[in-house]
Amino acid sequence: RGYTMGSVYWQFNDCWPVASWSSVDSLGRYKALHYAAKKFYAPVAMGLFLEGNSLTVNISNETMNEFKGKVVLCFSDSEFNVSKKYETEIQVNSLSSKDILTVAAEYKNKYSEYMYAELYSEDGKLIMRETELYVPPKHFEWNKTDIAIDISRRENGTEIKLTSNGFAKGVYVDFDGCDPKLSDNFIDLVNKEPYIIKVETDVAAEELKKSISVKTVYDIGR
C-alpha cells in the first residue's frame, strides 16, 4: 500500500463462446479462475508461502476493522494421516498484512504428502482453505479417490456435501443440462470432514442428483 493501491487481472468475461483466459464464459458461468479470484481478492485472505524448508502462513486484512479468528495448519499424507497440527488464535489490524505462523516444512515422502491451512472467523465459521504441495502437481503421486455426494434441500437453499476417502485436489462439480450457481468449486478435499457447497437453482435436489458429475486433478488425461 502506497506503492500500489489495487490490481486487476486479465480477463473477466467473454462476449461469445471461445477458449480464452476469461474467468467467466459467454453464458455467465464461472470458470476455475473466478472461484480462485473470490479467494485472492477476499476482504480477509490467507496465503501459504513455502520457501526451502520453511512454511509461512500470512493473513491479509483489507477491511476497515480488526480481524480476530483462528488458523489451523496440518501436515498430512494422501490418506489423511496427520503428522503435525498447529492451531493459533490470530489478530490482524485493519488494512494490514501479517505473517502469523512460520514452521519447519518436514516430510517423509514429498511426493505423497501436503500441507493445508484453514482460516476461521471469531465465531468459528470457515472462511477459506489453502493447500501447499512440496513438489509441482505433475510430480505428485495422485491416488484415485471415492467422493461421496449428498444433495439436500435446506431452509436457506440447496446444499451439496462432498466427502472423500483421500486427498483430492481441484474437485470440479458439474451438471448435465443445467447451470446452477455454486458458492464454491474446484476445491481441495484435504480431510475426512464434509465440504459444503451452497447452490442457487430452481432445479429440484432429486434432479440435480441425476445430472451431477465430479472430476479431480487425478482425472486429467484419463
Side-chain angles (χ1 to χ4, degrees):
R1 181 172 287 103
Y3 292 96
T4 177
M5 300 301 289
S7 66
V8 296
Y9 67 87
W10 182 266
Q11 71 193 73
F12 174 64
N13 62 355
D14 283 318
C15 59
W16 59 80
V18 66
S20 74
W21 294 345
S22 72
S23 65
V24 177
D25 71 13
S26 61
L27 296 178
R29 297 173 296 193
Y30 290 6
K31 299 182 185 181
L33 170 59
H34 210 69
Y35 289 100
K38 289 175 62 177
K39 296 177 181 178
F40 61 67
Y41 278 146
V44 178
M46 175 175 62
L48 302 185
F49 300 92
L50 179 62
E51 297 179 325
N53 296 321
S54 178
L55 179 76
T56 298
V57 181
N58 176 274
I59 303 297
S60 174
N61 178 14
E62 292 295 322
T63 73
M64 299 299 291
N65 301 307
E66 179 184 67
F67 176 81
K68 292 182 179 180
K70 180 178 71 171
V71 166
V72 178
L73 173 64
C74 294
F75 290 70
S76 179
D77 64 19
S78 294
E79 297 180 349
F80 297 154
N81 297 308
V82 176
S83 57
K84 286 188 178 181
K85 182 177 180 179
Y86 302 85
E87 290 190 29
T88 180
E89 302 292 329
I90 63 172
Q91 180 177 325
V92 184
N93 294 334
S94 62
L95 301 176
S96 66
S97 176
K98 183 178 182 181
D99 292 341
I100 55 94
L101 185 65
T102 298
V103 299
E106 300 175 346
Y107 55 82
K108 292 182 179 179
N109 183 353
K110 65 180 180 179
Y111 300 104
S112 63
E113 297 179 31
Y114 60 99
M115 302 151 281
Y116 71 90
E118 295 178 322
L119 174 63
Y120 294 88
S121 61
E122 192 172 17
D123 60 2
K125 180 182 178 181
L126 176 64
I127 297 177
M128 71 171 52
R129 171 187 290 166
E130 293 292 341
T131 309
E132 184 71 29
L133 304 178
Y134 294 100
V135 297
K138 66 180 180 179
H139 296 315
F140 195 84
E141 297 173 353
W142 301 107
N143 295 326
K144 181 175 176 55
T145 56
D146 293 324
I147 299 177
I149 306 170
D150 179 63
I151 304 177
S152 57
R153 182 69 182 176
R154 304 293 184 183
E155 293 183 0
N156 57 349
T158 303
E159 289 184 352
I160 301 173
K161 185 183 295 184
L162 301 175
T163 310
S164 178
N165 65 342
F167 178 39
K169 188 168 184 60
V171 180
Y172 168 46
V173 177
D174 194 17
F175 297 88
D176 182 20
C178 61
D179 291 314
K181 185 177 180 181
L182 306 180
S183 62
D184 205 355
N185 209 344
F186 301 92
I187 62 172
D188 294 345
L189 298 178
V190 298
N191 53 38
K192 295 180 180 179
E193 296 298 319
Y195 193 92
I196 296 175
I197 298 175
K198 296 182 179 180
V199 186
E200 292 183 26
T201 182
D202 295 328
V203 180
E206 290 302 319
E207 293 301 317
L208 289 177
K209 291 179 183 179
K210 297 176 183 178
S211 62
I212 192 172
S213 63
V214 174
K215 293 183 178 180
T216 73
V217 167
Y218 174 87
D219 300 305
I220 295 176
R222 289 179 169 83

